[in-house]
Amino acid sequence: MNKKPGRVLLICIIVLAIICPLHIYHDKKKVEDIKSGAIVIQNSETPIDELHPEFAYLWLFPYGIVEVVLLSLYYVRTRD
C-alpha cells in the first residue's frame, strides 16, 4: 500500500478552513439577532449592551493555532 502520506491531515486542514468562517458567521449573526431583539435571552450574565458582533472574530485564534499545528504535522509527515 503506497498511499500518499498526510492525506488525512490535509483533509482536516481543508475542513477546518471551511468550518472556521462558517462558525464565525454563525456566531456573529447570533449576536446581531440578540442585539436586535430577535432572540431573547433571560438570566444572561453579560448585559446585551456589552455584546459586540466583532467578538465572533476571536474564534480565529483557536482555529489558527490548530491550523498551524496541523500544517506543521503535515509538513513533517510529507517531508522526505
Side-chain angles (χ1 to χ4, degrees), residues 16-75:
L16 280 177
I18 294 170
I19 290 176
C20 177
L22 291 175
H23 189 191
I24 291 171
Y25 171 77
H26 177 71
D27 282 356
K28 186 175 177 183
K29 185 73 173 154
K30 190 183 292 184
V31 170
E32 289 172 351
D33 287 345
I34 291 170
K35 285 190 72 114
S36 70
I39 298 176
V40 178
I41 297 179
Q42 296 176 358
N43 301 330
S44 175
E45 294 179 9
T46 306
I48 294 175
D49 297 338
E50 292 183 13
L51 291 175
H52 297 286
E54 292 78 24
F55 285 149
Y57 291 110
L58 292 176
W59 279 108
L60 287 174
F61 292 109
Y63 277 109
I65 291 169
V66 171
E67 285 282 336
V68 167
V69 168
L70 289 177
L71 283 170
S72 300
L73 289 173
Y74 180 75
Y75 175 72

